[in-house]
Amino acid sequence: MGLDYSPTSPAGKWLGFVTAVWVQAISGNNYTFSNYSDALKSLMSLTQLQLNNLSVAKDVGKAFGILSGLCSDRWSPQVLLFIGSVEGFVSYGVQWLVVSHRIKPLPYWVMCIFLCMGGNSTTWMNTAVLVTCIRNFRKNRGPVSGILKGYVGLSTAIFTALCTALFSDDPATFLLMLAIVPLLVCFTAILFLREIPPSSNSNEENQEVKYFRIFNVVAVLIAVYLLVYDVSGKHGRSLSQAFAVILLLLIASPLSVPLYLIIQKLVRTRSESLDTEHQIVEPLLVEDRQPEAEKKLEASFVKELKQDVKKKPVIGEDHTIVEALKTVDFWILFFSFLCGVGTGLAVMNNMGQIGLALGYGDVSMFVSLTSIWGFFGRIFSGSISEYFIEKAGQPRPIWNAASQIVMAVGYIIMALALPGSLYIGSIVVGICYGVRVAVTVPTASELFGLKYYGLIYNILILNLPLGSFLFSGLLAGFLYDSQATTTAGGGNTCLGAHCYRLVFIVMAIACVVGFGLDVLLAIRTKGVYSKIYTSKKSKKQCTSSSS
C-alpha cells in the first residue's frame, strides 16, 4: 500500500491550506502604501489630494476584481495565482525603479496605472485562496475566513517589520520586497492549492476544528511577537536579524499540521502492512463514511432546498449575481460594508500624513499597530461568530454592527487629538476594520450560497475602491488641502490637530449609519441563522445517537 501525498489527500489538503495562509500573509501589500507614500509625495512634488488619488488608484484596481470573480468559476486557482503574482511583480517592480532613482519619475497618470495594477493583483490572489478554502472547509467558514483574513491584516506588519529589521526601513527596498516575495510565495501555492471535496462526516469536521485551533494559536503568537518587537523601541542589527529569522520560522510553523498527518499516515500504513485482514476491511470502512441517520438528515435537507428549482431562491440558498443584486439584503450588506471599510481605508491610506500632522516623525509604529490589531479583529471575530451561531443561532451581522459603533468611538478619539489618541485610534480602527472584513466574507456565503461566491465576493469588495475614493480621495484629500499651506516645490503640508478633525467626525457619522444597517440585516436574516443552528444541532444529535 503506497502513501498518498497528493493535493487531494488529507496531508495535501492541509498543505494547500498552509500555502493559502502564506499567500494571505503577503497579499496585504496593498495596505502598505503609507510606508512609502511620503517618498512618492516628495519625489513627485505632489499635493495631498494628488497623493490620496494615487492611493485611490491602487484601490480602484480592486474594482477590476470582478474579472477574477468571473474567472474563479472557470479557471483553476493555479491560473488565478499566476496572474495575480505576475501583475504584482510588474506593478511594484516599476514603483521600485522610480523610488530607487533607477528611472526618472513617470508621468502621474502612468503611476496611477501601475498602482491600479498592484491593487488588482491582490484580487486574483485573494479570490483564488478564499473561494477555494471556503469550499474545501465549508462547515468551518468562520474560522477559515478569520485565519485567512487575519493573515492579510498581519501582512503589513510582517513586511514592515522585516524591512525595518533587515534593511533599515528603506522605502525602495520595501517596494522591492513587495515585488519579489509575493511572486515566490504564489508560485509555491500553485503547486499545492486545489479545490477538493469537503469533509463528509462529523469526525472529519471535528478534526478540522482541532487543526484550525493550531493555526489560530500560531497566528496569535506571530501577532504578539510583532507587537512586542514594535513597542520595545529601537534594536541593534544583530537583534533585528535574529527577530527576522524567528519570524520566518513562526510563519513556516503551520507546516507541522500536514507533516503530522504524513507521519500518522506512515505509521498507520506500516501497521496495516502487518495485518492483511485489516487491509481487506478498510476499503469498506472508507466507502461507508457517514452514519445512516446522518445521511438521511443530509438528504432531507438537500431535498428541502431543492423542492422547486424554478422558484426564486430565498436568502440562504445559492444565488446568481443577478438574483443577489435584486435582494434588499445584498444592498444592506453592501452599504454597511462601505461604511466600515471605506472609513478604515481612509485612515490606512493617510496614516503617514495623519502622524506627521500630529507631530510624529516616524509613523511606521501606527501602520504596524493598525495591522496587528486588525489581525486580532479578523481572527477572533471569525471563530467567535461561528461559536455563537452553533450555540444560539446568533446572526453573524450583529458582530459587524458592534464593530461599526466601536469604530465611530475610535474616530471621535482621534478627532480630539489628545496625547496618545493616535495610538488608541490606530488600535480601535484596526480591530474594527478586521472584524468588518472577516465577518462579511462568511456572511455573504451563508446568505447567497457558494455556487457563485467568487463573483459575489468581488462585487462586495468594490467597496474598497469606492470607499477609498469617497473617504480618502475626496473627503480626506479636499479637507486636508483646505487646511494645508503650499511648499516651495509645489506640494503642500499641514501641521496640527485641525488637519484631519473634520474628516474623523464625518467618518464617525458614517459608521453610525453602518451600525443601523447592520442591525437591520441581523434582524432580517435571523431565520437563516436559526436554520443553520437547527441543522448543526440535529446533525450532532444524529452523530451522538449513531455512535
Side-chain angles (χ1 to χ4, degrees), residues 12 16 126 165-166 220 354 517:
N126 291 341
L166 299 176
V220 170
I354 293 171
L517 291 173

Side-chain angles (χ1 to χ4, degrees), residues 4-159:
D4 182 13
Y5 301 145
S6 68
T8 56
S9 68
K13 174 182 180 180
W14 285 100
L15 186 56
F17 187 71
V18 171
T19 59
V21 165
W22 291 347
V23 170
Q24 294 292 259
I26 52 86
S27 64
N29 47 20
N30 202 44
Y31 295 109
T32 63
F33 184 70
S34 292
N35 284 339
Y36 59 91
S37 62
D38 203 48
L40 284 176
K41 184 177 182 181
S42 59
L43 186 66
M44 300 178 66
S45 298
L46 303 176
T47 66
Q48 187 61 34
L49 180 59
Q50 289 174 320
L51 184 68
N52 282 6
N53 284 335
L54 271 184
S55 73
V56 170
K58 71 177 177 58
D59 293 325
V60 166
K62 293 186 174 71
F64 297 99
I66 294 175
L67 295 175
S68 63
L70 286 169
C71 294
S72 67
D73 293 326
R74 297 168 175 81
W75 296 349
S76 68
Q78 291 78 26
V79 176
L80 303 185
L81 286 169
F82 178 80
I83 294 172
S85 59
V86 172
E87 189 179 19
F89 177 76
V90 173
S91 169
Y92 291 104
V94 170
Q95 293 178 65
W96 168 71
L97 291 173
V98 171
V99 174
S100 64
H101 301 280
R102 282 170 171 79
I103 62 174
K104 293 181 179 180
L106 299 173
Y108 183 78
W109 66 271
V110 176
M111 289 298 291
C112 285
I113 291 175
F114 281 110
L115 266 85
C116 181
M117 288 177 61
N120 182 249
S121 69
T122 62
T123 66
W124 294 92
M125 300 178 199
N126 291 341
T127 301
V129 163
L130 199 60
V131 173
T132 303
C133 291
I134 287 281
R135 287 173 176 170
N136 289 352
F137 302 96
R138 60 186 64 193
K139 302 296 176 62
N140 287 285
R141 301 179 198 186
V144 168
S145 173
I147 292 168
L148 294 180
K149 286 299 181 181
Y151 274 96
V152 174
L154 273 184
S155 63
T156 304
I158 290 171
F159 274 124

Side-chain angles (χ1 to χ4, degrees), residues 308-315 317-319 323 326-327:
D308 186 359
V309 294
K310 295 182 180 180
K311 190 173 67 172
K312 177 181 175 182
V314 298
I315 296 299
E317 298 177 354
D318 285 325
H319 285 62
E323 290 167 341
K326 289 180 179 179
T327 65

Side-chain angles (χ1 to χ4, degrees), residues 240-448:
S240 296
Q241 290 175 343
F243 157 81
V245 171
I246 295 173
L247 176 60
L248 292 174
L249 289 174
L250 284 172
I251 294 171
S253 63
L255 280 171
S256 59
V257 171
L259 286 176
Y260 168 76
L261 290 172
I262 289 173
I263 294 171
Q264 190 181 53
K265 178 71 173 178
L266 181 62
V267 172
R268 187 184 301 121
T269 302
R270 287 180 177 176
S271 175
E272 289 169 357
S273 66
L274 301 176
D275 187 353
T276 55
E277 182 181 353
H278 184 70
Q279 286 183 342
I280 296 172
V281 173
E282 185 175 290
L284 298 176
L285 292 174
V286 174
E287 183 179 356
D288 186 19
R289 303 179 73 171
Q290 287 181 284
E292 192 63 32
E294 187 178 324
K295 286 182 179 178
K296 289 180 179 178
L297 175 66
E298 216 171 88
S300 64
F301 185 68
V302 172
K303 184 179 178 181
E304 182 184 341
L305 289 178
K306 297 182 178 179
Q307 278 181 347
D308 186 359
V309 294
K310 295 182 180 180
K311 190 173 67 172
K312 177 181 175 182
V314 298
I315 296 299
E317 298 177 354
D318 285 325
H319 285 62
T320 65
I321 187 59
V322 174
E323 290 167 341
L325 292 175
K326 289 180 179 179
T327 65
V328 175
D329 301 282
F330 180 87
W331 292 109
I332 295 175
L333 181 63
F334 184 90
F335 285 112
S336 69
F337 194 44
L338 174 65
C339 294
V341 299
T343 58
L345 275 175
V347 172
M348 294 177 194
N349 290 339
N350 289 273
M351 185 59 77
Q353 284 64 48
I354 293 171
L356 292 174
L358 294 178
Y360 294 96
D362 182 12
V363 297
S364 60
M365 164 71 77
F366 303 111
V367 175
S368 291
L369 282 175
T370 304
S371 174
I372 293 169
W373 288 100
F375 156 79
F376 285 120
R378 294 169 196 241
I379 199 163
F380 288 121
S381 63
S383 297
I384 291 172
S385 61
E386 191 79 24
Y387 173 82
F388 279 98
I389 290 174
E390 292 182 2
K391 293 299 179 183
Q394 185 184 78
R396 211 185 290 267
I398 202 68
W399 296 98
N400 279 337
S403 72
Q404 292 277 55
I405 203 67
V406 175
M407 186 179 264
V409 174
Y411 292 140
I412 295 298
I413 292 173
M414 295 173 82
L416 294 175
L418 298 173
S421 62
L422 191 54
Y423 288 95
I424 299 172
S426 299
I427 293 171
V428 170
V429 171
I431 292 173
C432 295
Y433 183 89
V435 171
R436 177 82 254 187
V437 171
V439 171
T440 300
V441 168
T443 298
S445 71
E446 288 157 349
L447 300 187
F448 307 109

Side-chain angles (χ1 to χ4, degrees), residues 186-246:
C186 284
F187 276 28
T188 302
I190 284 172
L191 300 175
F192 301 104
L193 186 63
R194 302 285 188 279
E195 188 171 324
I196 57 179
S199 59
S200 57
N201 58 50
S202 294
N203 288 334
E204 289 186 7
E205 289 176 32
N206 292 334
Q207 189 181 53
E208 286 180 5
V209 171
K210 180 177 68 175
Y211 292 146
F212 282 134
R213 286 175 186 157
I214 296 174
F215 280 88
N216 280 331
V217 169
V218 171
V220 170
L221 285 175
I222 293 173
V224 172
Y225 183 63
L226 287 166
L227 187 61
V228 170
Y229 181 78
D230 276 340
V231 301
S232 57
K234 297 291 183 180
H235 308 87
R237 183 162 183 78
S238 297
L239 185 61
S240 296
Q241 290 175 343
F243 157 81
V245 171
I246 295 173

